[in-house]
Amino acid sequence: MMLEQRLSSAEIIERFQKYVIPNYNRFPVVIVRGEGSYVWDSEGNRYLDFFPGWGCNLLGHCPPPVVEAVREQLGQLIHVPNTWYTEPQGRWAQALSERSFGGQAFFCNSGTEANEAAIKLVRLHAARPRYKIITFEGGFHGRTLGSTSATAQPKYHEGLGPLMAGFVYAPFGDLDAVARLIDAETAAIMIEPIQGEGGVRIPPEGFLAGLRKLADEHGLLLVFDEVQTGCGRTGHWFGYQYFGVTPDVMTLSKAICGGLAGGAMLVRPEIAPSLRPGMHACTFGGNPIAAVAGLAAIDMIEKENLLENARRIGDLFRQRLDELKAQCPIIRDVRVAGVMIGIELAIDGAPIVRACMERRLLVNCTHGTVIRLLPAMNLSEEQVHQGCDILAEVFKSQTG
C-alpha cells in the first residue's frame, strides 16, 4: 500500500486537476469523514448534510449495521461470478420481493444499469412489432446511452446523437397525451413515480392509476423507475406503495445498499423469464458485499422504525417550509413526500446552494430553480430544525 503524509485540500484538488477527467463540477471542499447526517472536511469543519451521497445515503453516512455486515463479509467472500449460487444474494432477493409485489430480482451496480435491464426486458418480452417505450418530459433515467435516450430532457442529449431509437416522450401528468401516443409498436410505459432530477415533481392525483389502466387495456408493461423513490425514501418501502399503484417492473439503486454501490430490477414472476440466459448480465451484480449491505440496510430500517420516522420528519419539513414560503416570495412551491423534498424558487438556485454551504449546510439544486433535499431517514427533529433555520436565513437574505 502506498503511504504518504496527509495532503492539504489545495494539494488534493491540484492532483485531481492533473489526473482526473473534469466531467464533474466539484465544490472546492475535500470531504474526509462522515457519520450519520454530518460530514467533515479536511480542515475539520463539520457540515449538516441534507443531500447525503446524492440520495444514496438514506441511512446517513457509514450506518453501523451496514459497516459491520460488510466488514464481516469481506473476510469470507468478496466476489464470485453469477454462474454460481451465493447465500446472501438469494436472501437479498427474497427480502426485496417480500416487501414489494412478490417479484423476482436481477442485480446490478447502479440505477442506469437497472434501467438498461428494464429496457432490454421490455423488448425481449414484447411480441413484435412492439418495441417502443413511452417516457416523460422532465424525467431522468441514467447516463448510459439507452437510459439517456429514455430521458426526455434535451440538455442530456447534446452532442450524443443519434440516440437509441424507440423512445416516445409524453408530457408529465397528461393521460390524454399518453393515450394518443400508444400505437401498435408500443411495448411499455416507463416513469419515475416522483420525478427527482426533474424537480421533485409529484404526479397529479390519479395519473399513475391512469397509466396502470392504459397499460392493462393495451397489453403494455408498466415500469417504475424507483431509483430515487425506492427503499424507504417516501416513508413506504417503495414509491408505488405511496401512490397505491403497482407496476410490472421496478428499478432500484441509490439507497438500496446503505451507501455502497448496488442496483436491482424487480419483475413480476410471469414476466421474469423473458430475460433469458445469455441475453443480459452484470459481472458484479448481486455480489456478496452488496447483498449483505442491502440486507443490513433493510434490517436497520425495520429495527429502528425508520419508515415511520421518514414520514414524521417529512411532515416536520413540510410544516417548516410552508411557514417559510409564506414569508419568502422567492419560494413558489414546496413539494414533500417523506424525505424527498423540493423547494421551487422564482430565482436561480445555485447561489442558494453556495450560501448554505458557507453556513455548513449541504443541499442540492436541480432543474435550475429547485432546491432538492434528500436527507437521511434517521434524521433527528433537532437536525431538521437546525437545517431549516439555515435555509430560512439564506432564503430571507435573498428575498431582501
Side-chain angles (χ1 to χ4, degrees):
M1 179 178 177
M2 296 175 62
L3 297 176
E4 62 181 14
Q5 292 182 336
R6 176 168 289 188
L7 301 178
S8 68
S9 293
E11 290 170 323
I12 293 170
I13 292 169
E14 182 182 2
R15 177 174 288 175
F16 268 69
Q17 291 170 343
K18 185 174 182 180
Y19 295 110
V20 180
I21 293 174
N23 62 305
Y24 298 106
N25 291 319
R26 300 178 190 266
F27 295 108
V29 176
V30 178
I31 301 297
V32 298
R33 184 168 72 89
E35 181 180 337
S37 285
Y38 293 105
V39 291
W40 287 261
D41 67 19
S42 52
E43 277 66 51
N45 299 305
R46 188 183 77 168
Y47 301 77
L48 178 59
D49 196 349
F50 273 9
F51 200 68
W54 210 267
C56 298
N57 297 346
L58 183 54
L59 301 176
H61 293 274
C62 303
V66 175
V67 171
E68 187 55 38
V70 168
R71 280 178 173 159
E72 183 178 344
Q73 184 62 44
L74 279 168
Q76 299 175 7
L77 189 66
I78 294 177
H79 174 67
V80 292
N82 279 308
T83 46
W84 304 91
Y85 294 96
T86 62
E87 189 268 345
Q89 186 179 134
R91 282 200 296 128
W92 193 22
Q94 180 181 356
L96 292 170
S97 178
E98 290 176 347
R99 287 158 182 79
S100 59
F101 50 81
Q104 293 182 307
F106 167 82
F107 291 108
C108 52
N109 307 296
S110 65
T112 195
E113 289 179 357
N115 286 331
E116 290 284 349
I119 292 165
K120 289 176 80 169
L121 172 70
V122 163
R123 291 193 172 188
L124 288 167
H125 182 76
R128 290 294 178 238
R130 293 186 169 191
Y131 72 99
K132 294 179 183 176
I133 301 175
I134 297 172
T135 61
F136 292 87
E137 295 170 3
F140 182 84
H141 299 291
R143 297 288 189 172
T144 49
L145 194 57
S147 57
T148 296
S149 301
T151 295
Q153 295 195 55
K155 67 180 180 180
Y156 294 114
H157 301 166
E158 293 177 8
L160 296 177
L163 298 177
M164 179 176 161
F167 294 98
V168 183
Y169 306 143
F172 185 72
D174 190 337
L175 272 179
D176 291 336
V178 176
R180 289 193 298 270
L181 290 172
I182 296 172
D183 61 23
E185 295 179 326
T186 307
I189 299 168
M190 183 176 185
I191 188 170
E192 299 162 273
I194 300 172
Q195 288 188 341
E197 294 288 329
V200 191
R201 295 175 68 198
I202 298 173
E205 182 75 25
F207 180 63
L208 296 180
L211 294 181
R212 178 72 274 175
K213 186 171 184 289
L214 284 173
D216 291 340
E217 289 173 349
H218 294 274
L220 314 178
L221 295 184
L222 181 60
V223 181
F224 278 7
D225 175 344
E226 294 229 27
V227 170
Q228 283 198 36
T229 55
C231 306
R233 173 66 62 190
T234 66
H236 297 73
W237 275 115
F238 304 103
Y240 82 83
Q241 295 160 339
Y242 181 88
F243 294 101
V245 178
T246 305
D248 303 300
V249 181
M250 176 171 63
T251 58
L252 304 167
S253 187
K254 286 199 180 292
I256 195 171
C257 293
L260 275 76
M265 174 179 68
L266 293 180
V267 184
R268 285 199 291 117
E270 60 270 31
I271 298 168
S274 294
L275 202 69
R276 57 188 185 272
M279 296 307 295
H280 197 56
C282 180
T283 299
F284 286 100
N287 67 78
I289 305 302
V292 298
L295 286 163
I298 290 171
D299 190 54
M300 180 176 172
I301 289 170
E302 292 185 336
K303 284 184 175 177
E304 299 185 16
N305 203 22
L306 295 182
L307 293 177
E308 181 182 338
N309 194 65
R311 295 191 292 270
R312 184 173 67 251
I313 63 175
D315 290 341
L316 183 55
F317 268 112
R318 185 188 302 277
Q319 175 190 329
R320 285 295 311 267
L321 294 173
D322 281 345
E323 291 171 358
L324 189 56
K325 178 176 179 289
Q327 301 167 17
C328 296
I330 65 168
I331 301 177
R332 285 180 170 168
D333 193 21
V334 172
R335 299 185 283 271
V336 179
V339 282
M340 189 171 187
I341 299 149
I343 309 164
E344 186 171 344
L345 306 178
I347 62 172
D348 178 23
I352 301 290
V353 174
R354 289 194 294 271
C356 286
M357 187 172 64
E358 289 169 0
R359 292 163 173 80
R360 307 288 185 257
L361 173 68
L362 304 184
V363 300
N364 171 255
C365 176
T366 189
H367 226 60
T369 58
V370 179
I371 299 302
R372 179 172 45 157
L373 313 179
L374 297 176
M377 64 194 306
N378 53 356
L379 201 68
S380 69
E381 291 188 6
E382 179 184 359
Q383 289 169 326
V384 173
H385 286 301
Q386 178 188 352
C388 286
D389 288 346
I390 295 172
L391 284 169
E393 179 185 342
V394 170
F395 285 140
K396 289 175 182 177
S397 72
Q398 294 292 319
T399 299

